[in-house]
Amino acid sequence: MTETQTTYVLDTGPLSHFAHAQWLGVLKVVLKDCRVLIPDVVAEELRNGTEQHHHLRHVLEADWIETVPLRTSAQLAAFVHYERRLVGPDGRNIGECGVLALAESLPHAVAVVDDRVAVEASRGRPVTLRRTLGLLCDAIRAGLLTVPLVSALADDLLQSHYRLPFKPGGFAEWCAREGLF
């Protein structure tokens, strides 16, 4: 039996907030046995923000994250599909479009997207999704992380205005309410 390697395609939001809160290394630990990609449009979003947000350089310089351009006709068609649903006049959500398009065109790929609208836009599409909290909970179950560590991480993400379904100090209670552990 051949073991297939999962590829995770990450969006700008989680990477930016993990880097800002200085928890980027936790993502590296959680995804250590997987290929980790960002589409070129996410890399561009990160590069465009480095002047104002220096922590984004840590993401671009991370040797465990590979930038992949959207090139194939399937990737470009999927990108256009998502672009029509997610990108308005302000140009927001280009990164989500790239993540979803790349993930649905690669075998064994998982898009890591937290944006609710992007998640809704992917319904009915051949893409596997995972939210950041899901990744962290999987890592707790695998013994890579602990509830107190993820609780501290979540509180730091909340300080950087990352949207999570609980208030500071509420991770463990949220897990109990959701029946996760």
Side-chain angles (χ1 to χ4, degrees), residues 6 8 61 66 126-127 175 177:
T6 301
Y8 285 92
E61 294 169 357
E66 180 184 346
V127 62
C175 289
R177 191 174 50 248

Side-chain angles (χ1 to χ4, degrees), residues 48-75:
N48 290 340
T50 56
E51 197 64 35
Q52 193 171 16
H53 307 285
H54 298 286
H55 62 273
L56 298 178
R57 293 176 207 265
H58 298 296
V59 178
L60 293 168
E61 294 169 357
D63 61 0
W64 54 278
I65 301 172
E66 180 184 346
T67 300
V68 175
L70 298 172
R71 286 190 183 144
T72 70
S73 59
Q75 292 168 342

Side-chain angles (χ1 to χ4, degrees), residues 31-93:
L31 302 174
K32 68 180 179 180
D33 296 326
C34 304
R35 187 176 180 207
V36 179
L37 306 177
I38 57 174
D40 52 356
V41 291
V42 166
E44 186 176 328
E45 284 182 341
L46 293 167
R47 264 192 301 279
N48 290 340
T50 56
E51 197 64 35
Q52 193 171 16
H53 307 285
H54 298 286
H55 62 273
L56 298 178
R57 293 176 207 265
H58 298 296
V59 178
L60 293 168
E61 294 169 357
D63 61 0
W64 54 278
I65 301 172
E66 180 184 346
T67 300
V68 175
L70 298 172
R71 286 190 183 144
T72 70
S73 59
Q75 292 168 342
L76 296 173
F79 183 85
V80 169
H81 168 83
Y82 290 115
E83 184 181 36
R84 289 181 178 154
R85 284 155 182 80
L86 295 173
V87 178
D90 62 359
R92 291 180 51 124
N93 296 330

